[in-house]
Amino acid sequence: METQMKKIKNILFKVIVLSFLYTLIYTSLQSEELKIYSERQPLLIEPLLEEFEKDTGIKVEWIYSKKGLVQKIILEKNRPVADIFLSSDISRLIDITEADASIKMQPLSMVPENLQSDYWAGLTQRARIIYVNKELEVKNINYEDLASEDYKGKICVRSGFHPYNISLFASLMAHHSEEWLESYLISLKANLARKPQGNDRDQVKAIYAGVCDYSIGNHYYFFKMQDNDDQKMWLEKATIVFPNQDNRGTHVNISGIAILNENNRALAEKLVNFLSGLKAQSIYANDNNEFPVSPDVPYSDRVQSLAGNVKFDSLDLEELASNRRAVINILNKINFDG
Ligand SMILES: [Fe+2]
């Protein structure tokens, strides 16, 4: 009887030790790997993540999709599949934060305060600028000007509901008021050469085709069009102006990062620190000609030559984000795209 008991004890002991070892190995394996959902294109993300893997030995797996990741993250929020979300716009970061799908993170010393919150951080800045018919020789322009009578039938723009435009309009609301924005958007709509359509680059094509003289678009598309054999001719007719240089500066949006999985927080924070650090920031600056968030990292040569001294609007992105719903309501109310 006693030997029987001894045997059972022995087996139990082995089972406990084995399961302990299994858990230890499993968690250590698990914790050395990060899963990412990325809206940022593979071409841009790959070199960054390769550097991170080399520096840290942490393996990174990632899924890229231009659409649908926010919905996926919100659906999975109680059992996150991904540890990290890389977004290409502030509004997606706010969407997941409002849905309680991102977790608190450490403040980042390299990122200016207006470009981070407790739940997300900016990694690059993208300016929303104005593309202008070269022949007009426009040097200075304010976003506000686009609502004036002088611009009747001269402006092209993509859907007002695109996150890039919503952010711009939300910044205008922050600097003026909700009532002001409504009348601004009514006038802007009345000045459009055609119904909102296409993407930012299609508007520059429209300037080339003589459909309009002005369009609103992100700055890095200028370089993307320069590098594209089918598109570079559009720039024969169009140049770029960084708006509001004589006052508050040009509106900037961010691409950014949020942490989704509490269980893998330590590794996730390592990636956040890496991507906001010097090495990654200069890869960002050079690969996509965006503005680094870190003030210590120089612009790419191409950005430097075009926008070396550009002044940016320092509006807090959280304030901007809080206006988004009101902006969407106005766009619906006045049927901006219709
Ligand atoms: Fe873009």
Side-chain angles (χ1 to χ4, degrees), residues 308-333:
N309 298 313
V310 164
K311 181 173 157 192
F312 294 129
D313 185 353
S314 61
L315 179 70
D316 194 300
L317 290 186
E318 281 202 289
E319 186 185 345
L320 179 151
S322 66
N323 291 341
R324 284 187 318 149
R325 209 139 286 154
V327 170
I328 293 169
N329 286 341
I330 295 172
L331 290 167
N332 275 318
K333 184 175 164 194

Side-chain angles (χ1 to χ4, degrees), residues 175-194:
H175 291 296
H176 299 276
S177 70
E178 196 171 334
E179 296 70 42
W180 181 93
L181 183 70
E182 182 169 334
S183 71
Y184 173 82
L185 289 176
I186 290 169
S187 306
L188 180 63
K189 182 184 173 184
N191 285 346
L192 295 181
R194 60 179 190 184

Side-chain angles (χ1 to χ4, degrees), residues 169-225:
F169 300 152
S171 80
L172 287 165
M173 181 173 146
H175 291 296
H176 299 276
S177 70
E178 196 171 334
E179 296 70 42
W180 181 93
L181 183 70
E182 182 169 334
S183 71
Y184 173 82
L185 289 176
I186 290 169
S187 306
L188 180 63
K189 182 184 173 184
N191 285 346
L192 295 181
R194 60 179 190 184
K195 276 185 191 176
Q197 58 196 267
N199 58 28
D200 280 357
R201 282 187 255 196
D202 291 327
Q203 317 312 317
V204 182
K205 185 182 179 185
I207 294 178
Y208 176 75
V211 176
C212 40
D213 287 328
Y214 301 86
S215 77
I216 302 172
N218 281 0
H219 82 278
Y220 52 85
Y221 290 120
F222 182 80
F223 302 105
K224 284 187 189 266
M225 287 184 280

Side-chain angles (χ1 to χ4, degrees), residues 145-283:
D145 299 337
L146 298 178
S148 117
E149 287 272 330
D150 304 343
Y151 292 78
K152 194 141 236 122
K154 293 182 180 169
I155 303 170
C156 285
V157 71
R158 79 192 305 168
S159 166
F161 293 88
H162 188 278
Y164 296 163
N165 280 334
I166 291 178
S167 291
L168 169 63
F169 300 152
S171 80
L172 287 165
M173 181 173 146
H175 291 296
H176 299 276
S177 70
E178 196 171 334
E179 296 70 42
W180 181 93
L181 183 70
E182 182 169 334
S183 71
Y184 173 82
L185 289 176
I186 290 169
S187 306
L188 180 63
K189 182 184 173 184
N191 285 346
L192 295 181
R194 60 179 190 184
K195 276 185 191 176
Q197 58 196 267
N199 58 28
D200 280 357
R201 282 187 255 196
D202 291 327
Q203 317 312 317
V204 182
K205 185 182 179 185
I207 294 178
Y208 176 75
V211 176
C212 40
D213 287 328
Y214 301 86
S215 77
I216 302 172
N218 281 0
H219 82 278
Y220 52 85
Y221 290 120
F222 182 80
F223 302 105
K224 284 187 189 266
M225 287 184 280
Q226 271 187 340
D227 294 340
N228 184 314
D229 284 340
D230 298 328
Q231 298 175 352
K232 62 183 172 202
M233 64 183 175
W234 302 344
L235 297 173
E236 287 166 14
K237 290 259 180 74
T239 186
I240 55 175
V241 178
F242 285 79
N244 296 71
Q245 288 305 295
D246 295 335
N247 41 74
R248 66 180 178 269
T250 298
H251 164 67
V252 281
N253 199 328
I254 52 162
S255 77
I257 192 164
I259 301 178
L260 310 173
N261 187 359
E262 183 67 59
N263 296 330
N264 220 356
R265 169 198 287 278
L267 287 199
E269 298 260 11
K270 276 190 188 167
L271 182 66
V272 173
N273 285 322
F274 175 82
L275 291 178
S276 64
L278 289 177
K279 194 194 251 180
Q281 283 289 301
S282 66
I283 295 177

